[in-house]
Amino acid sequence: MNNYLNFKGKNCVVTGAATGVGRAVATKFMELGANVYAMDINKVSDVTKYIKVDLCRKDQIDNAITQLPDKIDVLISNAALAGTTFMDYVFTVPEVFSVNYIACRYLVESLIPRMPRGSSIAVVSSTTGENWKDKMDLLGDLYENGDTFEKAVVWAENHIYDERVFNGTERPDCLYTFSKEALIYFVKRASFDILKKGVRINVLCPGGIDTPMVDEIARIVGTHEYDKAATNPIMDRAATPEEIADCLLFLSSSLSFSLNGCDITADFGFTPGVMFQRCTPNGEFI
Ligand SMILES: NC(=O)c1ccc[n+]([C@@H]2O[C@H](COP(=O)([O-])OP(=O)(O)OC[C@H]3O[C@@H](n4cnc5c(N)ncnc54)[C@H](O)[C@@H]3O)[C@@H](O)[C@H]2O)c1
């Protein structure tokens, strides 16, 4: 039988591979025979090569790119920050946007020339980005006027405190939702032209996942309510990083050959449950 998940000898780049989903997908790629190039600000063990990089810094990304192989088969753009702190690091609000969105787009566009036909890219967004269609004008403006790393930084500096960017949230250190909406828009808008080069790109939108990020969100919100709201009453738990990593393996394999420019929701059906009023956004049965 065909081994559809054979990544033997494939060069896979994973950002944010030190913890959570990135760690899980890097481990699975290694088990499946891939060479894994892990880009992260925190150390990553047990991969082919760890490349230390702060993804809010263009010079560091450029340096990291020089350490990647000439041929790349898979790119998983996964790194993100929920707020302005992570482990020992503190970031500014514009830097958070750089990690979550600008670095992803820059890396995708920089690495495509190294990706042979049949390669694939999976970007990790979130169910929090699901209302991206409400902001087509703003996201289109970012896409068109932020088409280089430097221009996107300027766009962010000029817009980052707009109410629509912050979604009216009371958490001034968190523009997480907007960055996730921007990722979905970017993948969809760029996907047709990327496919012309023979490379597929899709975006995964997980619901709550049991990773260090949940602890960080709970710290920002000030309660552990997020943890409950991040799942649905049928599962009564968040996804494991391994469950979400499996979706990324699928998007990276030929099993998903017909998918391009798709946003796939991985939340145990929580989103339709809320949409059709089967449960509340807080995870209670209706
Ligand atoms: N945990 C959740 O509930 C949840 C829900 C939906 C979507 N997501 C998304 O899943 C993806 C993975 O998140 P996770 O839950 O595994 O989080 P995590 O916090 O465990 O992992 C984030 C990774 O990004 C790295 N990172 C952070 N800042 C960096 C920087 N400046 N430069 C380089 N690397 C940096 C961290 O070191 C870490 O390895 C993210 O895109 C996140 O937004 C998470």
Side-chain angles (χ1 to χ4, degrees):
M1 184 175 160
N2 198 339
N3 183 357
Y4 295 105
L5 291 180
N6 184 0
F7 288 92
K8 208 167 173 34
K10 300 276 185 202
N11 293 332
C12 303
V13 177
V14 181
T15 72
T19 58
V21 173
R23 171 76 261 166
V25 78
T27 303
K28 285 175 186 263
F29 276 136
M30 290 297 291
E31 287 168 3
L32 292 164
N35 305 312
V36 174
Y37 296 82
M39 298 173 65
D40 203 298
I41 197 168
N42 288 302
K43 180 147 178 41
V44 185
S45 317
D46 302 324
V47 288
T48 308
K49 186 169 184 173
Y50 163 56
I51 302 168
K52 186 172 173 68
V53 58
D54 182 348
L55 287 166
C56 66
R57 297 267 308 273
K58 180 179 177 292
D59 57 333
Q60 291 197 19
I61 300 175
D62 288 336
N63 180 272
I65 287 172
T66 65
Q67 300 177 57
L68 292 172
D70 292 339
K71 176 172 102 49
I72 294 165
D73 302 291
V74 171
L75 168 62
I76 306 286
S77 179
N78 161 77
L81 292 162
T84 50
T85 58
F86 188 76
M87 292 182 170
D88 296 334
Y89 299 96
V90 180
F91 299 91
T92 64
V93 167
E95 283 172 344
V96 171
F97 190 65
S98 294
V99 174
N100 289 10
Y101 170 77
I102 300 174
C104 170
R105 179 173 180 183
Y106 184 63
L107 208 54
V108 166
E109 291 176 343
S110 302
L111 295 188
I112 282 174
R114 296 192 197 186
M115 302 186 78
R117 296 188 81 77
S119 311
S120 80
I121 301 168
V123 168
V124 182
S125 175
S126 164
T127 49
T128 59
E130 67 188 350
N131 293 326
W132 64 276
K133 282 185 190 157
D134 297 345
K135 294 186 194 147
M136 291 281 265
D137 53 338
L138 196 60
L139 295 170
D141 189 56
L142 166 63
Y143 183 87
E144 280 157 27
N145 295 310
D147 60 344
T148 66
F149 196 102
E150 293 86 348
K151 280 161 69 182
V153 168
V154 171
W155 189 97
E157 283 166 359
N158 290 334
H159 291 82
I160 217 132
Y161 294 103
D162 286 4
E163 197 184 321
R164 290 182 74 202
V165 171
F166 273 101
N167 290 288
T169 173
E170 289 170 11
R171 306 200 306 261
D173 61 344
C174 186
L175 73 164
Y176 183 79
T177 298
F178 183 74
S179 67
K180 294 301 179 181
E181 292 167 339
L183 288 176
I184 299 171
Y185 183 95
F186 163 62
V187 167
K188 287 191 173 286
R189 180 139 175 202
S191 60
F192 194 78
D193 289 328
I194 292 175
L195 190 64
K196 277 195 210 150
K197 295 171 183 145
V199 179
R200 297 183 298 111
I201 182 166
N202 294 290
V203 56
L204 186 70
C205 300
I209 319 162
D210 187 8
T211 71
M213 183 173 280
V214 173
D215 300 333
E216 178 65 10
I217 295 172
R219 195 191 63 75
I220 294 166
V221 179
T223 71
H224 278 78
E225 277 304 298
Y226 176 82
D227 212 74
K228 250 172 71 188
T231 179
N232 71 43
I234 296 171
M235 294 304 291
D236 202 27
R237 67 170 175 84
T240 65
E242 288 73 24
E243 286 164 344
I244 300 304
D246 285 345
C247 299
L248 294 170
L249 292 185
F250 166 70
L251 288 176
S252 308
S253 78
S254 60
L255 289 171
S256 59
F257 185 70
S258 65
L259 304 191
N260 189 47
C262 292
D263 56 321
I264 295 187
T265 302
D267 69 348
F268 300 118
F270 187 38
T271 300
V274 173
M275 183 188 293
F276 291 101
Q277 299 181 346
R278 310 305 297 145
C279 64
T280 69
N282 289 328
E284 315 283 343
F285 278 117
I286 292 175

